[in-house]
Short mmCIF file of all heavy atoms in Angstrom, two decimals:
data_model
loop_
_atom_site.label_atom_id
_atom_site.label_comp_id
_atom_site.label_asym_id
_atom_site.label_seq_id
_atom_site.Cartn_x
_atom_site.Cartn_y
_atom_site.Cartn_z
N PRO A 782 12.88 -5.09 -61.82
CA PRO A 782 12.19 -3.77 -62.02
C PRO A 782 10.74 -3.76 -61.33
O PRO A 782 10.00 -4.78 -61.35
CB PRO A 782 11.94 -3.83 -63.60
CG PRO A 782 13.10 -4.63 -64.14
CD PRO A 782 13.29 -5.72 -63.10
N ASN A 783 10.46 -2.64 -60.70
CA ASN A 783 8.99 -2.46 -60.17
C ASN A 783 8.76 -3.50 -58.97
O ASN A 783 7.69 -3.93 -58.84
CB ASN A 783 8.08 -2.51 -61.21
CG ASN A 783 6.84 -1.88 -60.85
OD1 ASN A 783 6.73 -1.07 -59.87
ND2 ASN A 783 5.70 -2.15 -61.44
N GLU A 784 9.90 -3.87 -58.37
CA GLU A 784 9.78 -5.02 -57.37
C GLU A 784 8.80 -4.72 -56.24
O GLU A 784 8.04 -5.66 -55.98
CB GLU A 784 11.12 -5.32 -56.80
CG GLU A 784 11.16 -6.49 -55.82
CD GLU A 784 12.54 -6.86 -55.42
OE1 GLU A 784 13.51 -6.51 -56.26
OE2 GLU A 784 12.72 -7.68 -54.36
N GLU A 785 8.83 -3.58 -55.55
CA GLU A 785 8.04 -3.33 -54.47
C GLU A 785 6.56 -3.40 -54.84
O GLU A 785 5.67 -3.89 -54.12
CB GLU A 785 8.38 -2.04 -53.81
CG GLU A 785 9.70 -1.98 -53.12
CD GLU A 785 9.99 -0.78 -52.38
OE1 GLU A 785 9.09 0.05 -52.31
OE2 GLU A 785 11.19 -0.53 -51.86
N GLU A 786 6.22 -2.76 -55.97
CA GLU A 786 4.75 -2.72 -56.32
C GLU A 786 4.29 -4.08 -56.72
O GLU A 786 3.12 -4.53 -56.47
CB GLU A 786 4.53 -1.72 -57.59
CG GLU A 786 3.12 -1.67 -57.97
CD GLU A 786 2.86 -0.86 -59.22
OE1 GLU A 786 3.92 -0.46 -59.97
OE2 GLU A 786 1.74 -0.56 -59.61
N LEU A 787 5.12 -4.90 -57.34
CA LEU A 787 4.78 -6.30 -57.75
C LEU A 787 4.48 -7.12 -56.63
O LEU A 787 3.60 -7.89 -56.54
CB LEU A 787 5.92 -6.88 -58.75
CG LEU A 787 5.91 -6.38 -60.10
CD1 LEU A 787 7.35 -6.71 -60.65
CD2 LEU A 787 4.82 -6.71 -61.03
N ILE A 788 5.23 -6.97 -55.58
CA ILE A 788 5.16 -7.81 -54.20
C ILE A 788 3.91 -7.32 -53.66
O ILE A 788 3.09 -8.10 -53.16
CB ILE A 788 6.41 -7.64 -53.44
CG1 ILE A 788 7.54 -8.32 -54.10
CG2 ILE A 788 6.06 -8.21 -52.03
CD1 ILE A 788 8.90 -8.11 -53.35
N SER A 789 3.75 -5.97 -53.46
CA SER A 789 2.59 -5.44 -52.70
C SER A 789 1.18 -5.84 -53.41
O SER A 789 0.27 -5.97 -52.69
CB SER A 789 2.73 -3.84 -52.60
OG SER A 789 2.58 -3.33 -53.81
N CYS A 790 1.20 -6.00 -54.70
CA CYS A 790 0.06 -6.28 -55.46
C CYS A 790 -0.21 -7.81 -55.55
O CYS A 790 -1.17 -8.26 -56.12
CB CYS A 790 0.08 -5.72 -56.77
SG CYS A 790 -0.05 -3.91 -56.84
N GLY A 791 0.80 -8.62 -55.04
CA GLY A 791 0.57 -10.00 -54.91
C GLY A 791 0.96 -10.61 -56.30
O GLY A 791 0.60 -11.77 -56.52
N VAL A 792 1.62 -9.95 -57.12
CA VAL A 792 1.94 -10.49 -58.50
C VAL A 792 3.12 -11.44 -58.34
O VAL A 792 3.07 -12.45 -59.13
CB VAL A 792 2.18 -9.22 -59.47
CG1 VAL A 792 2.57 -9.83 -60.86
CG2 VAL A 792 1.07 -8.40 -59.63
N ILE A 793 4.13 -11.15 -57.65
CA ILE A 793 5.28 -12.02 -57.48
C ILE A 793 5.51 -12.34 -56.07
O ILE A 793 5.03 -11.63 -55.16
CB ILE A 793 6.54 -11.50 -58.19
CG1 ILE A 793 7.00 -10.17 -57.33
CG2 ILE A 793 6.24 -11.07 -59.69
CD1 ILE A 793 8.42 -9.72 -57.79
N GLU A 794 6.28 -13.44 -55.83
CA GLU A 794 6.83 -13.74 -54.50
C GLU A 794 8.36 -13.81 -54.72
O GLU A 794 8.76 -14.31 -55.71
CB GLU A 794 6.27 -14.99 -53.97
CG GLU A 794 4.82 -14.94 -53.62
CD GLU A 794 4.26 -16.18 -52.93
OE1 GLU A 794 5.00 -16.71 -52.11
OE2 GLU A 794 3.27 -16.75 -53.50
N ARG A 795 9.12 -13.39 -53.60
CA ARG A 795 10.50 -13.51 -53.69
C ARG A 795 11.20 -14.21 -52.54
O ARG A 795 11.80 -13.61 -51.65
CB ARG A 795 11.23 -12.10 -53.87
CG ARG A 795 10.62 -11.35 -55.12
CD ARG A 795 11.76 -10.65 -55.77
NE ARG A 795 12.86 -11.52 -56.11
CZ ARG A 795 14.14 -11.11 -56.44
NH1 ARG A 795 14.38 -9.73 -56.46
NH2 ARG A 795 15.07 -11.81 -56.78
N PRO A 796 10.96 -15.54 -52.45
CA PRO A 796 11.49 -16.35 -51.28
C PRO A 796 13.09 -16.21 -51.30
O PRO A 796 13.73 -16.23 -52.30
CB PRO A 796 11.04 -17.72 -51.65
CG PRO A 796 10.91 -17.77 -53.14
CD PRO A 796 10.42 -16.38 -53.54
N ILE A 797 13.57 -16.13 -50.09
CA ILE A 797 14.95 -16.17 -49.87
C ILE A 797 15.57 -17.58 -49.80
O ILE A 797 15.00 -18.37 -48.90
CB ILE A 797 15.26 -15.46 -48.60
CG1 ILE A 797 14.73 -14.02 -48.52
CG2 ILE A 797 16.84 -15.42 -48.37
CD1 ILE A 797 15.30 -13.10 -49.53
N LEU A 798 16.39 -17.87 -50.71
CA LEU A 798 16.95 -19.31 -50.71
C LEU A 798 18.13 -19.32 -49.66
O LEU A 798 18.82 -18.45 -49.64
CB LEU A 798 17.55 -19.62 -52.15
CG LEU A 798 16.40 -19.58 -53.18
CD1 LEU A 798 17.23 -19.91 -54.52
CD2 LEU A 798 15.31 -20.52 -53.00
N PRO A 799 18.23 -20.44 -48.92
CA PRO A 799 19.29 -20.63 -47.99
C PRO A 799 20.75 -20.65 -48.68
O PRO A 799 20.84 -21.20 -49.86
CB PRO A 799 19.02 -21.88 -47.33
CG PRO A 799 18.22 -22.61 -48.33
CD PRO A 799 17.38 -21.64 -49.05
N ILE A 800 21.70 -20.25 -47.95
CA ILE A 800 23.05 -20.18 -48.43
C ILE A 800 23.84 -21.36 -47.61
O ILE A 800 23.62 -21.68 -46.52
CB ILE A 800 23.79 -18.91 -48.18
CG1 ILE A 800 23.11 -17.85 -49.08
CG2 ILE A 800 25.25 -18.96 -48.44
CD1 ILE A 800 23.80 -16.52 -48.96
N LYS A 801 24.66 -22.11 -48.42
CA LYS A 801 25.57 -23.06 -47.90
C LYS A 801 26.93 -22.38 -47.63
O LYS A 801 27.45 -22.00 -48.59
CB LYS A 801 25.56 -24.33 -48.67
CG LYS A 801 24.31 -25.03 -48.87
CD LYS A 801 24.52 -26.33 -49.65
CE LYS A 801 23.33 -27.10 -49.92
NZ LYS A 801 23.36 -28.17 -50.74
N TYR A 802 27.24 -22.21 -46.38
CA TYR A 802 28.62 -21.62 -46.10
C TYR A 802 29.72 -22.63 -45.91
O TYR A 802 29.36 -23.75 -45.62
CB TYR A 802 28.54 -20.81 -44.74
CG TYR A 802 27.48 -19.62 -44.95
CD1 TYR A 802 26.12 -19.78 -44.42
CD2 TYR A 802 27.94 -18.36 -45.50
CE1 TYR A 802 25.27 -18.85 -44.55
CE2 TYR A 802 27.07 -17.40 -45.57
CZ TYR A 802 25.72 -17.55 -45.13
OH TYR A 802 24.88 -16.47 -45.18
N PRO A 803 30.87 -22.17 -46.17
CA PRO A 803 31.39 -20.87 -46.66
C PRO A 803 31.01 -20.71 -48.20
O PRO A 803 30.81 -21.71 -48.92
CB PRO A 803 32.94 -20.97 -46.52
CG PRO A 803 33.22 -22.39 -46.72
CD PRO A 803 32.05 -23.19 -46.05
N ILE A 804 30.91 -19.42 -48.62
CA ILE A 804 30.53 -19.11 -49.91
C ILE A 804 31.37 -17.98 -50.43
O ILE A 804 31.73 -16.99 -49.79
CB ILE A 804 29.01 -18.72 -49.90
CG1 ILE A 804 28.56 -18.58 -51.46
CG2 ILE A 804 28.57 -17.57 -49.21
CD1 ILE A 804 27.07 -18.44 -51.65
N HIS A 805 31.63 -17.97 -51.75
CA HIS A 805 32.40 -16.95 -52.35
C HIS A 805 31.36 -16.44 -53.54
O HIS A 805 30.53 -17.13 -53.88
CB HIS A 805 33.67 -17.43 -53.06
CG HIS A 805 34.59 -17.97 -51.97
ND1 HIS A 805 35.34 -17.24 -51.19
CD2 HIS A 805 34.97 -19.29 -51.76
CE1 HIS A 805 36.07 -17.99 -50.28
NE2 HIS A 805 35.85 -19.30 -50.65
N SER A 806 31.63 -15.20 -54.03
CA SER A 806 30.71 -14.74 -55.01
C SER A 806 30.54 -15.69 -56.31
O SER A 806 29.54 -15.67 -56.88
CB SER A 806 31.30 -13.41 -55.55
OG SER A 806 32.54 -13.54 -56.15
N GLY A 807 31.67 -16.39 -56.59
CA GLY A 807 31.54 -17.35 -57.62
C GLY A 807 30.66 -18.56 -57.52
O GLY A 807 30.28 -19.20 -58.45
N ASP A 808 30.24 -18.73 -56.21
CA ASP A 808 29.55 -19.85 -55.90
C ASP A 808 27.97 -19.67 -56.02
O ASP A 808 27.20 -20.52 -56.01
CB ASP A 808 29.79 -20.43 -54.43
CG ASP A 808 31.10 -20.70 -54.18
OD1 ASP A 808 31.64 -21.27 -55.18
OD2 ASP A 808 31.62 -20.48 -53.08
N ILE A 809 27.65 -18.30 -56.15
CA ILE A 809 26.23 -17.88 -56.16
C ILE A 809 25.40 -18.62 -57.26
O ILE A 809 24.34 -19.14 -56.91
CB ILE A 809 26.15 -16.38 -56.12
CG1 ILE A 809 26.72 -15.78 -54.92
CG2 ILE A 809 24.66 -16.02 -56.29
CD1 ILE A 809 26.81 -14.20 -54.92
N PRO A 810 25.89 -18.51 -58.44
CA PRO A 810 25.06 -19.11 -59.51
C PRO A 810 24.75 -20.67 -59.25
O PRO A 810 23.63 -21.15 -59.45
CB PRO A 810 25.93 -18.98 -60.71
CG PRO A 810 26.63 -17.81 -60.42
CD PRO A 810 27.13 -17.84 -59.04
N ASN A 811 25.80 -21.38 -58.80
CA ASN A 811 25.67 -22.81 -58.52
C ASN A 811 24.60 -22.93 -57.34
O ASN A 811 23.74 -23.95 -57.55
CB ASN A 811 26.99 -23.35 -58.22
CG ASN A 811 28.02 -23.41 -59.23
OD1 ASN A 811 28.37 -22.32 -59.77
ND2 ASN A 811 28.53 -24.54 -59.58
N GLN A 812 24.66 -22.25 -56.39
CA GLN A 812 23.72 -22.39 -55.31
C GLN A 812 22.24 -22.00 -55.63
O GLN A 812 21.34 -22.68 -55.33
CB GLN A 812 24.14 -21.51 -54.13
CG GLN A 812 25.51 -22.06 -53.41
CD GLN A 812 25.40 -21.77 -51.92
OE1 GLN A 812 24.39 -21.61 -51.33
NE2 GLN A 812 26.68 -21.96 -51.37
N PHE A 813 22.21 -20.96 -56.58
CA PHE A 813 20.91 -20.63 -57.17
C PHE A 813 20.22 -21.77 -57.85
O PHE A 813 19.15 -22.22 -57.60
CB PHE A 813 21.01 -19.35 -58.01
CG PHE A 813 20.38 -18.17 -57.63
CD1 PHE A 813 21.04 -16.93 -57.68
CD2 PHE A 813 19.05 -18.17 -57.09
CE1 PHE A 813 20.44 -15.72 -57.28
CE2 PHE A 813 18.54 -16.95 -56.64
CZ PHE A 813 19.21 -15.74 -56.65
N LEU A 814 21.08 -22.35 -58.82
CA LEU A 814 20.59 -23.42 -59.60
C LEU A 814 20.30 -24.71 -58.79
O LEU A 814 19.30 -25.42 -58.97
CB LEU A 814 21.59 -23.72 -60.72
CG LEU A 814 21.79 -22.62 -61.78
CD1 LEU A 814 23.01 -23.00 -62.54
CD2 LEU A 814 20.59 -22.71 -62.67
N SER A 815 21.07 -25.00 -57.83
CA SER A 815 20.93 -26.14 -56.98
C SER A 815 19.61 -26.11 -56.18
O SER A 815 18.97 -27.08 -55.81
CB SER A 815 22.05 -26.22 -56.00
OG SER A 815 23.35 -26.50 -56.63
N SER A 816 19.18 -24.85 -55.76
CA SER A 816 18.13 -24.61 -54.95
C SER A 816 16.75 -24.57 -55.74
O SER A 816 15.69 -24.82 -55.07
CB SER A 816 18.23 -23.33 -54.20
OG SER A 816 19.31 -23.31 -53.29
N GLN A 817 16.78 -24.35 -57.05
CA GLN A 817 15.61 -24.14 -57.89
C GLN A 817 14.81 -25.37 -57.85
O GLN A 817 13.47 -25.36 -57.61
CB GLN A 817 15.92 -23.67 -59.31
CG GLN A 817 14.74 -23.30 -60.04
CD GLN A 817 15.02 -22.93 -61.54
OE1 GLN A 817 15.71 -23.66 -62.17
NE2 GLN A 817 14.28 -21.89 -62.02
N SER A 818 15.33 -26.62 -58.11
CA SER A 818 14.55 -27.76 -58.29
C SER A 818 13.95 -28.21 -56.84
O SER A 818 12.88 -28.64 -56.80
CB SER A 818 15.43 -28.94 -58.74
OG SER A 818 16.47 -29.18 -58.05
N GLY A 819 14.70 -27.92 -55.80
CA GLY A 819 14.17 -28.14 -54.48
C GLY A 819 13.03 -27.20 -54.11
O GLY A 819 12.00 -27.83 -53.49
N LEU A 820 13.02 -26.06 -54.50
CA LEU A 820 11.98 -25.08 -54.34
C LEU A 820 10.81 -25.49 -55.24
O LEU A 820 9.54 -25.52 -54.72
CB LEU A 820 12.31 -23.65 -54.67
CG LEU A 820 11.29 -22.61 -54.73
CD1 LEU A 820 10.76 -22.52 -53.27
CD2 LEU A 820 11.92 -21.22 -55.08
N LEU A 821 11.00 -25.97 -56.48
CA LEU A 821 9.87 -26.47 -57.22
C LEU A 821 9.21 -27.70 -56.63
O LEU A 821 8.07 -27.87 -56.64
CB LEU A 821 10.45 -27.05 -58.66
CG LEU A 821 9.46 -27.49 -59.57
CD1 LEU A 821 8.50 -26.38 -60.00
CD2 LEU A 821 10.19 -27.98 -60.90
N ASP A 822 10.10 -28.71 -56.14
CA ASP A 822 9.47 -29.93 -55.48
C ASP A 822 8.60 -29.38 -54.25
O ASP A 822 7.52 -29.94 -54.09
CB ASP A 822 10.56 -30.75 -55.03
CG ASP A 822 11.26 -31.46 -56.20
OD1 ASP A 822 10.74 -31.47 -57.17
OD2 ASP A 822 12.37 -31.91 -56.04
N TYR A 823 8.99 -28.49 -53.50
CA TYR A 823 8.30 -28.05 -52.41
C TYR A 823 7.03 -27.42 -52.79
O TYR A 823 5.87 -27.76 -52.18
CB TYR A 823 9.08 -27.02 -51.51
CG TYR A 823 8.27 -26.32 -50.41
CD1 TYR A 823 8.13 -26.87 -49.20
CD2 TYR A 823 7.80 -25.02 -50.62
CE1 TYR A 823 7.49 -26.17 -48.18
CE2 TYR A 823 7.06 -24.39 -49.68
CZ TYR A 823 6.85 -24.99 -48.44
OH TYR A 823 6.11 -24.38 -47.49
N LEU A 824 6.99 -26.65 -53.68
CA LEU A 824 5.72 -25.96 -54.11
C LEU A 824 4.75 -27.03 -54.77
O LEU A 824 3.47 -26.89 -54.61
CB LEU A 824 6.04 -24.87 -55.16
CG LEU A 824 6.82 -23.63 -54.71
CD1 LEU A 824 7.22 -22.76 -55.90
CD2 LEU A 824 5.87 -22.80 -53.88
N ARG A 825 5.20 -27.97 -55.46
CA ARG A 825 4.33 -28.93 -56.06
C ARG A 825 3.70 -29.87 -55.06
O ARG A 825 2.57 -30.29 -55.20
CB ARG A 825 5.10 -29.90 -57.00
CG ARG A 825 5.46 -29.08 -58.37
CD ARG A 825 6.32 -30.02 -59.20
NE ARG A 825 6.33 -29.39 -60.62
CZ ARG A 825 7.28 -29.83 -61.52
NH1 ARG A 825 8.07 -30.81 -61.28
NH2 ARG A 825 7.24 -29.17 -62.77
#
């Protein structure tokens, strides 16, 4: 909700996580979860 305003005001960031191919729709949650801790480590 309200994504464009939140980004333009600097409230949130929405980084694009890389995809490991090949991928099916059922793989998306797993890839999301796998990438979260790596993103956290990078930010720290």
Side-chain angles (χ1 to χ4, degrees):
N783 203 21
E784 181 171 342
E785 291 186 6
E786 183 182 12
L787 290 163
I788 293 174
S789 64
C790 292
V792 176
I793 68 168
E794 294 181 49
R795 300 223 57 196
I797 304 297
L798 300 178
I800 291 178
K801 295 179 181 178
Y802 294 96
I804 186 172
H805 304 283
S806 59
D808 300 328
I809 295 174
N811 294 58
Q812 291 211 20
F813 249 134
L814 290 165
S815 296
S816 301
Q817 188 185 41
S818 59
L820 177 58
L821 179 70
D822 290 341
Y823 171 82
L824 291 168
R825 285 175 172 169

